[in-house]
Amino acid sequence: MLVLVAPGQGAQTPGFLIPWLDLPGVEDRLREWSDAIDLDLVHYGTKATEDEIRDTAVAQPLLVAASLISARQLFATADDVAATVGAAAGHSVGELAAAALTGTVSDAEAMALVRRRGLAMAEAAAVTETGMAALLGGDEAVVLPHLEKLGLTPANVNGAGQIVAAGTAEQIAALVGNKPEGTRRVVPLKVAGAFHTHHMAPAVTVLESATAELTVADPLTRYVSNKDGQVVTSGRELVQRLVGQVANPVRWDRCMETFKELGVTTLIEAAPGGTLTGLAKRALPGVRTLALKTPDDLEAARELIAAVSAE
């Protein structure tokens, strides 16, 4: 069974869209979305600095655009996804890309919604200086009480020995200087806020309004939710979960558990791939993985898709 996943914030790097612009129609599509959401995706994906694309209002639309552009090279429509993909999911903002790929919303609607999401979360993040840091290694039973003691939230429980903490800048600094016993490293992330915590509550209100009149369809492919790793079959429930997830922890560990229960044999990560395939290699041994980093990876992805179809 093939699982298709889309990465979250922090996966972006300067210039990562450059090779994708060589593909027919990609630049035109990006410029179309750019005009619709009033954000120059081509500029930010090719010429912008690391600091510029760290801005939440920029990073989120850029990431969803990249996931859609890359995945659409393999699956032109939601029906194409449904014909081959057994389950789909996205990490944090990647959930919006997954919602489009499964047919719950259109690509254009996903881009409009992610623009609202990015702006709302950036505004919420500006209230207090906050951030996030990844803890690598360590026992969850030790890490979680340590975070609670420091006033931090386990915003992403990613499995494979990785938990991402979120809180104020002072709390993150305290964690860097006092990591939990057994944790190998604490790595501050390239994000501009304490996402998936109570600090994002104002953004939830904005998104509730933005999605109230949205026309949604039930997903054509199993959609695995960040909230609890459950398969969601209702389009309206899926959108409600997307809204609430902004201020609640991402349980990617449970998403991977669901992939395993569903019988995953192959996992493909949309651009800018790497993070989720890395987690899968550790948590889902024996599963074939492929990250779409550049168009050079597309042929190998097509071969994997063909292999899954033949099984």
Side-chain angles (χ1 to χ4, degrees), residues 91-92 154-158 196 226 245 248-253:
H91 189 285
S92 187
N156 303 163
V157 183
N158 287 331
H196 303 291
N226 281 184
Q245 204 58 44
N248 286 283
V250 170
R251 294 305 304 261
W252 192 251
D253 58 333

Side-chain angles (χ1 to χ4, degrees), residues 3-254:
V3 170
L4 178 63
V5 298
Q9 204 160 330
Q12 72 276 12
T13 55
F16 78 97
L17 277 185
I18 291 173
W20 295 98
L21 295 184
D22 291 334
L23 298 179
V26 166
E27 184 170 351
D28 290 342
R29 179 56 56 87
L30 288 172
R31 293 198 183 282
E32 178 185 327
W33 289 341
S34 296
D35 290 343
I37 68 173
D38 193 25
L39 184 74
D40 191 343
L41 296 165
V42 174
H43 166 75
Y44 285 111
T46 59
K47 298 179 180 179
T49 65
E50 184 174 26
D51 283 342
E52 287 178 303
I53 62 174
R54 182 183 290 118
D55 180 352
T56 303
V58 171
Q60 292 192 13
L62 194 60
L63 285 162
V64 171
S67 288
L68 291 176
I69 286 294
S70 59
R72 289 300 181 207
Q73 305 306 311
L74 304 172
F75 310 101
T77 67
D79 286 327
D80 293 334
V81 173
T84 308
V85 175
H91 189 285
S92 187
V93 72
E95 286 206 293
L96 275 75
L101 292 169
T102 58
T104 301
V105 296
S106 69
D107 291 2
E109 288 168 331
M111 290 305 303
L113 188 56
V114 75
R115 178 61 164 152
R116 294 288 299 275
R117 185 184 194 269
L119 288 168
M121 292 176 73
E123 185 174 345
V127 174
T128 305
E129 186 179 0
T130 57
M132 305 175 81
L135 294 89
L136 307 179
D139 188 324
E140 190 173 312
V142 175
V143 171
L144 295 183
H146 188 86
L147 296 182
E148 183 178 3
K149 182 176 67 175
L150 296 177
L152 289 158
T153 298
N156 303 163
V157 183
N158 287 331
Q162 185 188 105
I163 293 174
V164 176
T168 66
E170 292 80 6
Q171 291 167 336
I172 294 293
L175 175 64
V176 171
N178 178 24
K179 64 178 186 290
E181 183 179 352
T183 298
R184 296 192 309 276
R185 295 170 61 202
V186 176
V187 182
L189 299 183
K190 299 173 185 177
V191 297
F195 307 134
H196 303 291
T197 72
H198 67 277
H199 292 284
M200 293 295 110
V204 172
T205 303
V206 172
L207 287 177
E208 285 174 341
S209 175
T211 59
E213 302 301 323
L214 193 65
T215 300
V216 301
D218 294 339
L220 300 179
T221 303
R222 293 187 192 95
Y223 184 100
V224 182
S225 171
N226 281 184
K227 180 178 180 178
D228 49 17
Q230 294 300 303
V231 173
V232 179
T233 58
S234 161
R236 182 50 61 183
E237 180 186 352
L238 192 160
V239 170
Q240 290 173 344
R241 283 172 173 248
L242 290 178
V243 171
Q245 204 58 44
V246 167
N248 286 283
V250 170
R251 294 305 304 261
W252 192 251
D253 58 333
R254 292 181 179 171

